[in-house]
Amino acid sequence: MMQHAPLIIDIAGTELTDDDRRRLAHPLVGGMILFGRNWQGRAQLTALCASVKRLRPDLLICVDHEGGRVQRFRTDGFTHLPPMRALGELWMHDAMRAQDAATACGYVLAAELRACGVDFSFTPVLDLDWGPSGVIGDRAFHADARVVAMLAKSVMHGLLRAGMGNCGKHFPGHGFVAADSHTDLPRDRRSLKAILADDAAPYGWLSATLDAVMAAHVVYPKVDARPAGYSARWLQAVLRQRLGFAGAIFTDDLSMEAARHIEGRTVTPTEAVLAALHAGCDLALLCNQSLGAGSVLDDAIDGLAEAQIKGAWAPSGASDARRRALLPRQAAADWSTLMRATDYLHALALLP
């Protein structure tokens, strides 16, 4: 039977429970996303990641770790990375120095995570800093798509030097709208031409560099009535065909308010997963659903399995190959070795 493990799920605590092991062992689960509640310190995080890999070496251990206010691990030696806007501000004074600093940020970010066993971070943000978006804000490099592309490419070079892939987000752009998709359904009423000229431009310019893309929970009504993560037009016609992207496509968290509605109808988590997969996503994120009994996760796993049996969803070997391509290809230095490494110490000195 064709292998395809599209679900990325979370766990409630700082070590695996029997329920966590059962879910993570399921063949439809392809990875785990970490949050601050899963962190006590480096030794605990390293042990947790090792226990996941003992269960299934192919599981992708992910985290939202960008720098600035989106950084899950901040203590016990982890470097406090600047918000990406700091790199954009540096660019305005010294563009070449800013690119070197961006590469250093990517390297430090990835090297520290990988030293603890984390495979992948959902970074960099490619959204433009238009101003009104509080949820993006200083997470964005700059308002100019060209500056965003160059600094993001530098961050991705740093990630690559530490053996980590990258994920551009939130396609085709979340920076223009004020509403927060965690709590609302943002609508960007610009034309496809306008979005392609500005917000989506970095995705085309970086099409040979990006390993993964995360779709925005934003509706662009002049293009499609569905949020981008549920839109075959955005994901297949624009991202795949027009912009030439060949890597993995992630949903943003399907438990966010903006993901719970499709064309005015409230959807269940299983319906959300299926809609995303049918639209062209390879991987579906279900975050913060392990808390309590974790019934949402169990329902989604069972629902996707049932859809497969009934022929309502067909697994994709190509999708799973894109997931596996995000796994690190080389062993990482342990923490004590990393702390003495010349490249790491040099990168620390370059941070803005």
Side-chain angles (χ1 to χ4, degrees), residues 124-247:
V125 169
L126 299 184
D127 300 314
L128 305 191
D129 187 8
W130 286 100
S133 175
V135 71
I136 301 301
D138 65 1
R139 297 166 66 192
F141 291 101
H142 203 275
D144 187 326
R146 298 166 299 177
V147 177
V148 169
M150 293 307 296
L151 289 175
K153 189 170 187 177
S154 297
V155 168
M156 291 189 279
H157 184 206
L159 299 173
L160 178 65
R161 290 192 65 233
M164 183 178 284
N166 60 68
C167 182
K169 63 187 187 184
H170 307 82
F171 177 81
H174 201 315
F176 191 79
V177 289
D180 180 352
S181 52
H182 293 84
T183 56
D184 202 353
L185 178 56
R187 296 181 185 275
D188 185 335
R189 301 186 184 280
R190 292 176 297 163
S191 67
L192 176 61
K193 182 179 179 180
I195 296 166
L196 287 173
D198 286 315
D199 299 65
Y203 293 90
W205 295 331
L206 299 172
S207 65
T209 309
L210 283 163
D211 296 315
V213 164
M214 179 180 285
H217 290 324
V218 177
V219 173
Y220 309 84
K222 290 187 178 176
V223 183
D224 197 333
R226 294 182 163 219
Y230 297 138
S231 167
R233 185 172 187 202
W234 275 119
L235 301 183
Q236 297 183 47
V238 178
L239 183 59
R240 291 278 191 223
Q241 296 166 22
R242 185 163 183 164
L243 300 181
F245 176 67

Side-chain angles (χ1 to χ4, degrees), residues 2 43 61 63 82 90 110 115 138 141 147-148 166 171 187 204 212 223 228 259 262 272 299 301 309 335 338 352:
M2 186 179 295
I61 302 176
V63 68
L90 181 56
D138 65 1
F141 291 101
V147 177
V148 169
N166 60 68
F171 177 81
R187 296 181 185 275
V223 183
I262 301 177
D299 289 349
I301 292 169
I309 291 167
W335 191 271
L338 179 66

Side-chain angles (χ1 to χ4, degrees), residues 2 5-6 11 43 52 78 99 105 116 136 168 193 196 233 251 292 298-301 310 322 329 352:
M2 186 179 295
I11 65 169
V52 172
F78 266 86
Q99 289 179 81
C105 281
C116 296
I136 301 301
K193 182 179 179 180
L196 287 173
R233 185 172 187 202
T251 70
D298 291 330
D299 289 349
I301 292 169
K310 291 181 174 178
R322 289 189 281 266
R329 295 178 176 82

